[in-house]
Amino acid sequence: MKRCNLNPEAYITVQPSKKENSMGDTNHAPDIPVKLKTFVELTMDIASASPRRYFFEIMSNFASAQHEKERLQYFASPEGRDDLYQYNQKERRTVLEVLEDFHSVQMPLEWLVQLIPPLKTRAFSISSSNSAHPNQVHLTVSVVSWTTPYKRTRKGLCSTWLAGLDLQQRVLIPAWFHKGSLPSPSPSVPLILIGPGTGCAPFRGFVEERALQSKSGPRAPVLFFFGCRNEENDFLYRDFWLSHLQSGGVLSEDKGGGFYVAFSRDQPQKVYVQHKMREQSTKIWNLLAGGAAVYIAGSANKMPSDVLAALEEIISLEGGVTKEVAARWIHALEKSGRYHVEAWS
């Protein structure tokens, strides 16, 4: 607001969109007065999203310095596409950083509202059992941080903010609850869980739930495959998993379960969850033959497909069938509601 010469204390009026207006009639929707400062804070992603090409095109119309106008026009042209990519997307420049780089641009609020990307909600898996923690929701959040090609440190907007909260202060955070893609399993169904990194989040809740259920009688076994880079730095919920691995615990071998961890960077050769799965192929096959459900959660990069390939190999090897038959076997699991994947980018 300082950069764009806007008064943060000024009031503007906003109307619900058709999508948000429950009455479905925006003509009779009331105007809502909002402080400009509040509006920018809650709706405009000025500090993490990169602007689109059209933003540079419009900026050129409001540049008073000729050299900035020409540069912006070049960025917006087909000829400048590659240079724009290097400057903007590859470096993940924010709207504010771009405006700071072109000082002569004075863009009206009306254009800023249209062009600045909207602030998006962040989706996290719930990593706790409602039965174990009534009126609480636990989240497992990785603080996003990386270095750009020009050695600039970039940090995730939401994760950095969450990590920086003062635990002694009461902070109100707007939250929405949606039905996830990992349905709660029946206590009588054996589970094969694969969740490297923060993919372990929903399975913490699963294990908590099954631990409570097991107090009222025998429950089906649980196999959990977890993976991270280093045992010392990245072993999320270490004490929690190990406590349930002890005799009589949900993950204990005497209950037919198991807990297997792949530390990918703790040895010269990288080891991932799919390698640990192959080591336990007989155990996995026995649970699958006994009606187990498979749950996979984590990064959407290569992990889900690598895990799928490992499962096909295990079914083919242990079941004495071809890879094609194994693939059809997994497809049948999916159709019957016994194969679930929740992956994020």
Side-chain angles (χ1 to χ4, degrees):
M1 288 179 284
K2 184 177 178 183
R3 165 64 185 82
C4 298
N5 296 319
L6 299 172
N7 178 10
E9 300 301 313
Y11 277 87
I12 60 172
T13 56
V14 297
Q15 265 194 354
S17 67
K18 287 181 182 176
K19 187 178 178 183
E20 293 167 337
N21 184 13
S22 59
M23 300 300 290
D25 183 3
T26 54
N27 294 324
H28 297 95
D31 287 344
I32 305 167
V34 179
K35 269 190 181 181
L36 185 58
K37 178 176 184 287
T38 304
F39 181 78
V40 172
E41 281 180 342
L42 298 183
T43 69
M44 301 167 79
D45 195 348
I46 57 172
S48 70
S50 295
R52 297 182 180 276
R53 189 186 66 83
Y54 187 53
F55 187 82
F56 293 86
E57 184 180 331
I58 298 301
M59 277 180 70
S60 69
N61 297 313
F62 296 102
S64 56
Q66 187 60 32
H67 71 284
E68 289 188 358
K69 181 184 284 289
E70 290 173 359
R71 185 67 175 165
L72 288 165
Q73 288 172 339
Y74 170 69
F75 274 157
S77 69
E79 296 77 24
R81 188 187 303 268
D82 290 343
D83 285 336
L84 176 62
Y85 174 77
Q86 294 292 331
Y87 165 80
N88 186 42
Q89 292 98 314
K90 201 166 184 183
E91 279 295 298
R92 287 293 293 274
R93 286 186 202 276
T94 67
V95 168
L96 182 57
E97 287 174 333
V98 171
L99 287 169
E100 294 282 12
D101 282 350
F102 296 91
H103 294 283
S104 75
V105 173
Q106 292 299 328
M107 201 181 292
L109 175 64
E110 293 80 3
W111 276 106
L112 291 170
V113 170
Q114 291 182 67
L115 295 174
I116 293 177
L119 198 58
K120 295 178 180 177
T121 56
R122 266 55 171 182
F124 297 104
S125 296
I126 295 174
S127 53
S128 56
S129 159
N130 191 45
S131 304
H133 306 280
N135 304 316
Q136 290 186 10
V137 171
H138 298 185
L139 302 180
T140 304
V141 182
S142 174
V143 180
V144 179
S145 178
W146 75 99
T147 305
T148 71
Y150 286 103
K151 306 301 180 189
R152 294 168 357 123
T153 301
R154 304 270 79 178
K155 293 187 176 181
L157 184 68
C158 181
S159 61
T160 302
W161 178 77
L162 283 171
L165 290 177
D166 183 351
L167 300 182
Q168 305 307 314
Q169 289 187 324
R170 184 166 178 261
V171 180
L172 297 177
I173 303 172
W176 294 262
F177 292 86
H178 298 283
K179 189 175 181 180
S181 55
L182 300 179
S184 296
S186 165
S188 61
V189 174
L191 300 179
I192 299 169
L193 311 176
I194 302 106
T198 52
C200 71
F203 305 140
R204 179 174 178 262
F206 281 21
V207 170
E208 282 185 333
E209 190 77 14
R210 191 148 290 193
L212 282 176
Q213 293 165 348
S214 63
K215 290 180 180 179
S216 59
R219 291 295 180 257
V222 179
L223 281 187
F224 179 36
F225 295 88
F226 174 67
C228 60
R229 284 173 171 261
N230 309 107
E231 181 177 7
E232 192 174 329
N233 302 320
D234 310 307
F235 198 166
L236 300 176
Y237 302 118
R238 172 184 180 142
D239 293 342
F240 173 82
W241 307 123
L242 296 182
S243 70
H244 287 286
L245 185 60
Q246 292 174 6
S247 180
V250 171
L251 300 171
S252 63
E253 293 202 2
D254 57 294
K255 292 287 185 180
F259 176 61
Y260 308 99
V261 190
F263 300 113
S264 62
R265 302 297 194 275
D266 279 355
Q267 61 284 309
Q269 184 131 2
K270 291 177 184 175
V271 176
Y272 297 112
V273 284
Q274 60 267 27
H275 299 120
K276 292 295 177 180
M277 289 171 64
R278 289 186 181 98
E279 290 174 8
Q280 303 300 323
S281 63
T282 304
K283 211 164 191 178
I284 288 174
W285 171 248
N286 288 338
L287 282 192
L288 285 174
V294 179
Y295 286 80
I296 301 165
S299 169
N301 292 336
K302 285 183 64 187
M303 187 274 295
S305 59
D306 288 342
V307 166
L308 176 62
L311 276 172
E312 287 179 354
E313 281 182 36
I314 289 167
I315 293 167
S316 174
L317 174 69
E318 300 290 342
V321 296
T322 64
K323 287 279 184 71
E324 291 73 20
V325 172
R328 289 201 296 272
W329 214 82
I330 292 174
H331 184 62
L333 280 181
E334 198 170 355
K335 286 187 73 174
S336 64
R338 290 170 53 204
Y339 189 87
H340 307 277
V341 179
E342 185 173 88
W344 49 84
S345 55

